[in-house]
Amino acid sequence: METILVTKSSMPDFEEYIEEIRELWESHWLTNKGEKHTVFQNLLTNYFNRNVSLVVNGHCALEVAIQSLQLKGEVITTPFTFVSTTHAIVRNGLKPVFCDIDPITYTLDVTKMEELINENTSAIIPVHVYGNVCNIEEIEAIAKKYNLKVIYDAAHAFGVKYKGKSIAEYGDASMFSFHATKVFNTIEGGAVCYSDSEIGNQIERLINFGIQDEVLIDGIGTNAKMNEFQAAMGICNLRHVEEEIRKRGLLVEEYRELLSGIDGIQLNIVQEDVTSNYAYFPIIIHEEMFGATRDDVYEWLKSKNIFARRYFFPIISKLECYKGMYEKYETPVAVKISERVLTLPLYADLDINIVKYICNIILKRDRA
Ligand SMILES: *Cc1c(COP(=O)(O)O)cnc(C)c1O
């Protein structure tokens, strides 16, 4: 039996990519906003329906997005995310304040947010976990009431639409990751979307050392520019992303059909008003009803060379680097979900028979 990993990077045909990068051997222009960067940026502006800055990876995109808004003090965020979200906050000298999550969407529980806000709070950084859309209306209302900025970590949400609008259109800024493991990739890569051109100027400067022009360097920036090879990969992959998402959708349909109605297995919510990108297929395994734990299922699959992921586990506040620092914010739902969640293999060219095979192992409680 071949090894099945939780994901597999989307790639264009070899010839298609070669054709796209051929010009680079003529121009010798490899980075610093070359032709490919310009083309890709225009394509994405159109795709997202918002201004977009291209960044070397999603993490740096989030770091510069936060820096560009000149936040201070505390930021309300979720502990149920990839570590990048919290690192970006802390590396900007800010304090993460963990709010618990909703047990159905796994995104911030907006009913628990206001009690965490004080005079030091400057922003909310929610995450569209698994591509599930946060409670945007409530978050916007709270942000407005307390005069807070909102930066969405939309790393999982490429291609998602909410109420017919691109998910990139929400918040003061929305950050995307184009990492190899995401629905859409530029090998490594990321972007920030925003409406305010002043934020755009800040971000463009921050990703290029704070350089304004040849002699004027008036910001303490970093180097986080997207290079031409990344942009070329993005141009190619963008041609196929709708088809990739469609194929993911078919596999998700199959998973749902085979795993729905099973005692103790909670499937991801199908949200109203949301066009999904089928980024992940998380299941929550409730031991009391299912009769086995999440880790049991993980091991059964592993013994058959199928590598599901405990994504996200542990929650951020329990990671070695943050242990004991932010524990005063109890987030029992996030703890529970993280101990029970397993994301199953999902990528566009995953064989539907493998999906059936995986479900069979789970349903038969196949320990062998
Ligand atoms: C992938 C990811 C990031 C970081 O993006 P990179 O492109 O890998 O740097 C940030 N937040 C979340 C939720 C992610 O999944």
Side-chain angles (χ1 to χ4, degrees), residues 30 33 54 62 70 97 122 168 235 253 274 312 337 346-347:
L30 305 183
K33 292 195 182 177
L54 304 179
L62 189 55
Q70 298 170 321
V97 172
S122 64
I235 292 168
E253 225 171 86
V274 172
F312 309 100
I337 297 295
L346 180 61
Y347 45 88

Side-chain angles (χ1 to χ4, degrees), residues 13-25:
D13 283 344
F14 182 65
E15 300 305 330
E16 184 180 349
Y17 187 63
I18 294 302
E19 212 34 64
E20 200 62 50
I21 61 173
R22 191 178 297 282
E23 294 155 43
L24 303 179
W25 264 260

Side-chain angles (χ1 to χ4, degrees), residues 57-60 62 81-82 84-85 127 153 155-156 175 177-179 182 188-189 280 311-312:
N57 59 52
H59 179 78
C60 288
L62 189 55
T81 181
F82 182 55
S84 167
T85 319
V127 181
D153 178 335
H156 292 181
M175 168 283 256
S177 164
F178 308 147
H179 184 257
K182 302 298 203 296
E188 294 260 8
Y280 299 88
Y311 192 64
F312 309 100

